[in-house]
Amino acid sequence: MVQEPQSFHEFMPDKVWKWKILEEKVEKVLSLHDFQEIRLSVLQDSQVLQDGITALIQGQEADTAMKGVLSLSLPDDQLSLLSLRPEGTISVLHHTARITNPGEIHRFYYSGPMFRRINNQQQMEFYQLGVELLGSESILSENEVISLGMKLCKTLGLNEVRLDLNSYGCFTCRESFFSDLNKYLEEHKSEYCNSCYRELSTNPFSQVHCANPDCKKSLQEGPHIYDYLCNSCKTDFNKVQKIQANLGNQYKVNPNLNKNFAYYNKTVFDFIAKHKGKEIIIGGGGRYDYLSALITGKRIPAVGFYLNLDSIFEIMESRGLFEEKDPEFTVYICAESPNLEMMTLQIVQELHSQQIKTIISPECRPAEKEIAIAKKKDCPIMLILRDDNIREGKILLRNLVKEEQKYISLRDTLPSIMLAKKAMQS
């Protein structure tokens, strides 16, 4: 990640318009690939999450893996049955298992806040996009998903993005790898910090973030699953590389590519971008054909990825990739006399019937102050209501672009505004 959030998100208008641009671009690309949006609850069943996260690990190691999940607690510190979602894949599989039939293909995506603990202590919220293709174990589905992730990154302006690829093999490949890795960890235990040793013992594919040079060195020198792949897994992995190369996607085989969750098999990947002179992971994913059967009893081959939207947003903002649209034509309406609420709202209602945006001043203030506010809000037109004018059936229309004003008939308010809008947009 680019940075670790220190608190929960609060997006204000100066950021929200940028988020909408990012989200609209993402949704447009996904719709071209026939991915359907689904909306998952932020609250998840703790037991369902535990079954998924610990699907391939047991005992104390499973308890360690669950410490990153933010669960809700009762006053007596007993854990409730609910947790804040740390990811979306497990929930998607549970929902899909209830609706899918053999042979069906489902393309889903979702986005929103996820929650985890950093180093089992600090609470962290982050925004994430999840994309899942369910029901196929073909090489084509794998490459469709990987290519889609690359296309999304490039559409958002991250043209230098590249792939890191690895393979976690199948159960046959893993048996020898796990055995040799456990022996290696035990023999080199003194070279690892407690945290890294515990994480790798829990999940051999764990994505450890350690600055200790001894840990890094030992990790690189130790066994890698890439060297244990069976002939079938090697053939499939070579196909993935060939297809991505022919699609023009830059990639690198990275035997040290690891993941936080142990449920992946075969191809795994990361999306790498540059930010502030460094290469960072902005997303990633892989195939997880075994997971559904382990947690739902129903086999659903699947492949998917996530994109860290916080990281991508920060990169886009630093590169000036958010272009603010020209201000929408907006009419500023104010009353300089009391008891004109009904008239004000009637005028607003009439303007809204023609999709004309308005800003209402809720206070009675001097004209100079109202004009200053209207200009600050980029409103080209003002309507000023005064009690004596209303009694005469007229209203003051001020053009803030030309710095001129005139009285118009109340019944001509909408036509006059429409005419002013047409003149300013021509």
Side-chain angles (χ1 to χ4, degrees), residues 329-333 351 356-359 379 381-383 417:
F329 180 84
T330 305
V331 177
Y332 189 87
I333 303 175
L351 295 178
I356 294 174
K357 181 181 174 182
T358 61
I359 296 177
C379 299
I381 296 294
M382 277 184 76
L383 290 176
I417 294 296

Side-chain angles (χ1 to χ4, degrees), residues 29-30 33 129 131 142-165 244-245 247-252 269-273 282-284 305-307 312:
V29 172
L30 289 168
H33 290 256
L129 169 73
V131 176
E142 212 163 288
N143 282 279
E144 177 189 354
V145 166
I146 295 172
S147 301
L148 173 56
M150 293 291 283
K151 184 176 181 180
L152 281 169
C153 294
K154 292 177 181 179
T155 299
L156 294 171
L158 282 60
N159 295 316
E160 83 289 356
V161 68
R162 79 147 202 275
L163 281 166
D164 269 13
L165 293 173
Q244 290 305 310
L247 289 172
N249 290 327
Q250 183 184 0
Y251 76 89
K252 181 180 78 174
F269 52 91
D270 281 337
F271 302 115
I272 311 295
I282 56 170
F305 67 83
Y306 77 93
L307 288 179
I312 292 174

Side-chain angles (χ1 to χ4, degrees), residues 285-303:
R287 180 165 284 289
Y288 45 97
D289 296 330
Y290 308 138
L291 181 58
S292 181
L294 290 169
I295 63 176
T296 72
K298 195 170 189 177
R299 187 175 186 275
I300 305 174
V303 59

Side-chain angles (χ1 to χ4, degrees), residues 164-168 257 259 264-270 285-286:
D164 269 13
L165 293 173
N166 196 8
S167 175
Y168 284 1
L257 191 160
K259 295 290 179 184
Y264 289 104
N265 65 287
K266 288 201 171 181
T267 304
V268 290
F269 52 91
D270 281 337

Side-chain angles (χ1 to χ4, degrees), residues 23 81 90 96 164 171 182 277 292 344 386 416 418:
E23 290 161 356
L81 299 178
I90 295 167
T96 305
D164 269 13
F171 279 135
N182 286 330
S292 181
T344 299
R386 294 170 179 152
S416 297
M418 295 294 289

Side-chain angles (χ1 to χ4, degrees), residues 271-422:
F271 302 115
I272 311 295
K274 292 180 180 178
H275 185 54
K276 296 180 179 179
K278 296 180 179 179
E279 289 192 334
I280 61 165
I281 298 172
I282 56 170
R287 180 165 284 289
Y288 45 97
D289 296 330
Y290 308 138
L291 181 58
S292 181
L294 290 169
I295 63 176
T296 72
K298 195 170 189 177
R299 187 175 186 275
I300 305 174
V303 59
F305 67 83
Y306 77 93
L307 288 179
N308 187 319
L309 298 183
D310 287 338
S311 298
I312 292 174
F313 181 91
E314 185 178 327
I315 295 171
M316 291 177 69
E317 196 170 44
S318 71
R319 297 181 184 181
L321 296 176
F322 294 111
E323 294 185 8
E324 195 166 6
K325 298 177 182 177
D326 292 335
E328 186 178 355
F329 180 84
T330 305
V331 177
Y332 189 87
I333 303 175
C334 62
E336 292 186 2
S337 306
N339 303 317
L340 292 176
E341 298 89 352
M342 185 182 297
M343 179 60 66
T344 299
L345 292 173
Q346 285 176 340
I347 293 172
V348 167
Q349 185 171 287
E350 189 176 19
L351 295 178
H352 287 175
S353 71
Q354 297 301 312
Q355 303 301 307
I356 294 174
K357 181 181 174 182
T358 61
I359 296 177
I360 303 173
S361 172
E363 310 294 338
C364 287
R365 289 178 287 221
E368 293 78 12
K369 282 192 174 182
E370 298 288 14
I371 290 170
I373 294 171
K375 288 182 176 179
K376 188 176 180 180
K377 296 286 188 180
D378 290 321
C379 299
I381 296 294
M382 277 184 76
L383 290 176
I384 303 173
L385 286 70
R386 294 170 179 152
D387 194 36
D388 54 345
N389 297 151
I390 297 298
R391 283 197 296 269
E392 296 171 359
K394 60 186 181 181
I395 188 172
L396 182 62
L397 185 152
R398 184 177 179 89
N399 187 318
L400 296 172
V401 177
K402 295 183 177 181
E403 292 292 349
E404 58 186 33
Q405 62 184 34
K406 64 179 179 179
Y407 286 100
I408 60 173
S409 168
L410 272 172
R411 65 175 176 270
D412 291 334
T413 302
L414 180 58
S416 297
I417 294 296
M418 295 294 289
L419 189 62
K421 179 181 179 182
K422 184 177 180 180

